[in-house]
Amino acid sequence: MQKETAKQPAPQSQAKQKSEPIDLVLTDNIQKIKELLGNSDDIIMREIRIGKDGGIKACVVFTDGLIDSQSAQNFIMESLMNDLRKTDIKDETLNGLYLLPFLKERILTVGDIQDLDDFTNLLDSLLSGKVILLFDGYSKGFSVDMKGWQQRSVEEPTTETTIRGPREGFTENIRVNTALIRRKIKDHNLWIESRKIGKVSKTIVSIMYIKGLANDKVIEEVRTRLNRIKIDSILETGYVEELIQDGVRTPFPTIYHSERPDAIAADLLEGRVAILVDGTPFVMTVPIIFAQFLQSPEDYYNRADITTLLRFLRYMGFFIALLAPSLYIAITTFHQEMLPTQLLITLAAQREGVPFPAFIEALAMEVSFEILREAGLRMPKAIGQAVSIVGTLVIGSAAVEAGFVSAAMVIVVAITAIASFIVSNYELAIAIRMLRFPFMAIAASFGLFGIIVGLIAMVLHMCSLRSFGVPYMAPFGPFIKEDQKDTIFRFPRWAMSTRPRLFSQNNIVREDTPAPKPPQKE
């Protein structure tokens, strides 16, 4: 412990050293950069001489792999070394301009140039993919934006399949993601605020909203929660989600994720706030309600009657995935009188040689299926799907033949698994898988009465949740009549003239298009 205590002041002294101003001597600045970065091989330093007869020594510093080398060669090196070859810059002024403003305004043909005067900003810019320019005899320098690292192109989302609608998905580059959203919302009120979070990673986190549509209180709450994050690194949206969410002790997600630009654009147009994290293709939106997790962006690309049918199927799949095993356990254990006589005789014949009660039987099958599903996800794609399907069939049929489980239980578990895939949102699907086991336990203990009490407790818990101040179960509880047009049912587009009242309180009216009418006969 004493040795560790003795070493603690070192990082503090290093932090003080980084905040030092840039020195007038170029060689000292180069040596300091090498010391602070540990002589890293990927830090490239090119010392050059500019002006007539090489009157001024300069240094170009950049991180290999983070910049566009061809652009740096054409727009920086060539401008400094060739365009100034016949210019005498030994004097302090050139046509009334000092050297640095002269280079910035008349020589460097690049867009984003920032002034540097200390090592903190210098190192942050260098490690963010910018080119650093330092000059001998000047205590200031430039950072030139020349980012050009390798990145994944815009592709179809892998977690949200698309049948009808745009097939472009977010990438790991935050600027590409903001551009994809701006392509869909070409409005000057679409504002972006960025900040760096993470003492070590310095990850760019941006909030995006439409000024005049988003609730000002929600925007301020998002700012407050992001500003109070104190952490070493942010590598994915999950880091931010855990630090800003409302409900901590709940299996239900209170923040929405998507890698589809059209889904995020639709949320922004309803008055929500998007949170983007550099380095991940998933974008978060807040506030969120439970009903949105059972909806899909494609619901608004199909007709209203088709969408309503699909939503009914999703809600039915939600309850089947949650309650099917527990209902089977409750009925076969406590409420056999609810079954037709012939079916009861068939089930009794199947279970005659099974040595375990229904709860243990269902628990073993569910755990086995969850293990197979997780293994299928972690295996290589070429064999993962085949192994999970074949493993499920082989284990299920072998367990029935061996007399460990009944055939009816295999059918129930299979239906439950298929119904769980209807829920399009991955976070909600995990919540269902987690809650399925407690419902099975209370069904084995108290039968249907336990299931009813469990459902009541779950609904009360969901009604107590908030997402950035918005009730999680809205518009069911509290009941908002006008917002029922886009929950289980989806009314035609011309009938949904207003935005959800809990999200957008500044501009409620969305459209004023009359209902379509057939042409009148003359």
Side-chain angles (χ1 to χ4, degrees):
M1 294 297 294
Q2 294 179 355
K3 293 182 179 180
E4 293 179 359
T5 305
K7 293 181 179 180
Q8 285 180 356
Q12 297 178 1
S13 62
Q14 186 179 6
K16 291 181 180 179
Q17 189 178 12
K18 288 183 180 180
S19 62
E20 291 182 359
I22 295 176
D23 200 282
L24 290 171
V25 182
L26 180 62
T27 55
D28 292 345
N29 292 328
I30 294 174
Q31 184 63 30
K32 192 172 296 184
I33 293 175
K34 291 181 178 179
E35 292 177 358
L36 292 174
L37 296 176
N39 292 317
S40 300
D41 294 338
D42 60 340
I43 305 300
I44 308 300
M45 298 184 181
R46 172 73 187 279
E47 297 185 49
I48 60 176
R49 287 185 174 270
I50 62 176
K52 188 177 181 180
D53 301 327
I56 296 293
K57 291 193 298 182
C59 184
V60 181
V61 189
F62 58 89
T63 305
D64 190 20
L66 294 185
I67 71 161
D68 185 352
S69 301
Q70 188 63 38
S71 298
Q73 176 71 28
N74 295 336
F75 299 112
I76 295 181
M77 304 290 291
E78 192 168 328
S79 298
L80 292 176
M81 300 179 70
N82 293 339
D83 297 348
L84 292 175
R85 184 176 299 174
K86 298 180 180 180
T87 304
D88 188 3
I89 57 176
K90 290 182 180 179
D91 297 334
E92 192 171 295
T93 60
L94 292 166
N95 298 329
L97 290 176
Y98 289 99
L99 172 64
L100 297 188
F102 176 77
L103 295 176
K104 185 176 181 180
E105 297 177 13
R106 300 189 181 183
I107 299 300
L108 296 174
T109 58
V110 291
D112 187 3
I113 302 178
Q114 302 294 331
D115 295 330
L116 295 175
D117 56 7
D118 61 76
F119 276 91
T120 299
N121 293 328
L122 187 151
L123 294 178
D124 288 346
S125 300
L126 177 62
L127 299 176
S128 297
K130 296 184 179 181
V131 179
I132 306 301
L133 298 179
L134 299 174
F135 305 92
D136 191 31
Y138 294 87
S139 60
K140 292 186 178 181
F142 293 144
S143 71
V144 184
D145 194 352
M146 285 282 174
K147 298 175 183 176
W149 54 73
Q150 294 294 324
Q151 62 184 18
R152 185 169 60 92
S153 61
V154 177
E155 301 171 350
E156 184 175 353
T158 56
T159 60
E160 299 174 87
T161 56
T162 304
I163 298 177
R164 179 178 180 179
R167 297 182 181 274
E168 57 188 7
F170 290 123
T171 69
E172 287 74 16
N173 190 328
I174 192 171
R175 282 294 154 255
V176 174
N177 296 342
T178 56
L180 289 173
I181 297 176
R182 284 199 180 276
R183 283 180 55 191
K184 299 185 179 299
I185 305 177
K186 304 175 183 67
D187 189 87
H188 67 279
N189 289 317
L190 181 60
W191 291 7
I192 302 176
E193 301 176 9
S194 299
R195 53 183 48 76
K196 289 184 179 180
I197 300 179
K199 292 180 290 185
V200 178
S201 66
K202 294 181 175 61
T203 305
I204 298 177
V205 178
S206 301
I207 63 174
M208 203 172 194
Y209 59 91
I210 300 179
K211 184 66 174 178
L213 291 186
N215 192 326
D216 295 333
K217 294 182 179 179
V218 174
I219 298 173
E220 186 59 34
E221 182 65 22
V222 173
R223 292 195 192 108
T224 302
R225 298 190 187 188
L226 289 177
N227 290 335
R228 72 185 182 205
I229 295 178
K230 306 297 180 184
I231 193 172
D232 285 342
S233 63
I234 298 290
L235 302 180
E236 213 272 337
T237 54
Y239 286 61
V240 178
E241 179 183 2
E242 281 195 274
L243 297 172
I244 67 173
Q245 64 183 355
D246 291 68
V248 179
R249 298 178 178 86
T250 178
F252 293 99
T254 55
I255 295 177
Y256 182 74
H257 297 80
S258 179
E259 56 176 336
R260 293 183 57 169
D262 57 332
I264 301 301
D267 286 348
L268 291 173
L269 291 168
E270 286 190 342
R272 294 184 174 94
V273 179
I275 303 174
L276 300 89
V277 178
D278 192 22
T280 175
F282 291 92
V283 176
M284 300 181 289
T285 56
V286 294
I288 199 67
I289 57 176
F290 173 74
Q292 186 174 352
F293 290 101
L294 293 172
Q295 298 173 0
S296 171
E298 296 175 33
D299 292 351
Y300 304 95
Y301 307 148
N302 295 316
R303 295 201 318 266
D305 52 352
I306 298 175
T307 298
T308 300
L309 173 61
L310 295 177
R311 287 187 179 178
F312 268 109
L313 291 176
R314 292 194 198 112
Y315 276 91
M316 187 182 302
F318 170 80
F319 285 106
I320 291 175
L322 180 65
L323 300 175
S326 56
L327 287 174
Y328 177 83
I329 293 171
I331 292 175
T332 55
T333 305
F334 295 100
H335 310 283
Q336 296 90 346
E337 68 277 1
M338 297 180 63
L339 298 175
T341 305
Q342 190 62 38
L343 178 59
L344 182 60
I345 294 173
T346 302
L347 291 177
Q350 291 180 5
R351 292 189 48 81
E352 184 177 359
V354 177
F356 305 110
F359 171 67
I360 301 299
E361 186 182 0
L363 184 64
M365 289 298 298
E366 285 291 343
V367 171
S368 300
F369 180 78
E370 293 296 336
I371 291 174
L372 286 171
R373 174 153 55 179
E374 191 67 17
L377 290 175
R378 307 305 169 194
M379 285 183 176
K381 291 184 179 180
I383 61 174
Q385 187 174 5
V387 169
S388 60
I389 295 175
V390 173
T392 304
L393 294 174
V394 171
I395 292 177
S397 60
V400 172
E401 293 177 1
F404 291 151
V405 296
S406 62
M409 179 58 72
V410 175
I411 295 174
V412 170
V413 172
I415 293 175
T416 303
I418 294 172
S420 65
F421 291 114
I422 295 179
V423 180
S424 57
N425 186 269
Y426 181 69
E427 286 78 15
L428 182 60
I430 293 179
I432 296 172
R433 291 159 61 183
M434 292 175 59
L435 291 172
R436 190 184 302 150
F437 294 98
F439 272 101
M440 290 165 53
I442 61 176
S445 303
F446 307 103
L448 290 178
F449 300 104
I451 295 177
I452 294 172
V453 172
L455 283 175
I456 294 173
M458 185 187 76
V459 173
L460 291 176
H461 168 70
M462 296 171 69
C463 290
S464 68
L465 296 177
R466 295 289 186 274
S467 177
F468 283 77
V470 173
Y472 192 60
M473 288 300 291
F476 303 114
F479 184 80
I480 303 175
K481 180 180 178 181
E482 196 66 26
D483 291 348
Q484 300 297 324
K485 297 178 180 180
D486 190 20
T487 51
I488 300 178
F489 301 91
R490 200 213 21 118
F491 281 40
R493 176 68 65 179
W494 50 264
M496 297 189 298
S497 58
T498 58
R499 294 183 175 87
R501 281 165 167 72
L502 291 175
F503 302 142
S504 178
Q505 299 177 354
N506 301 324
N507 188 354
I508 297 296
V509 179
R510 174 162 39 196
E511 60 180 302
D512 192 18
T513 306
K517 296 180 180 180
Q520 297 180 354
K521 296 182 180 180
E522 296 181 357

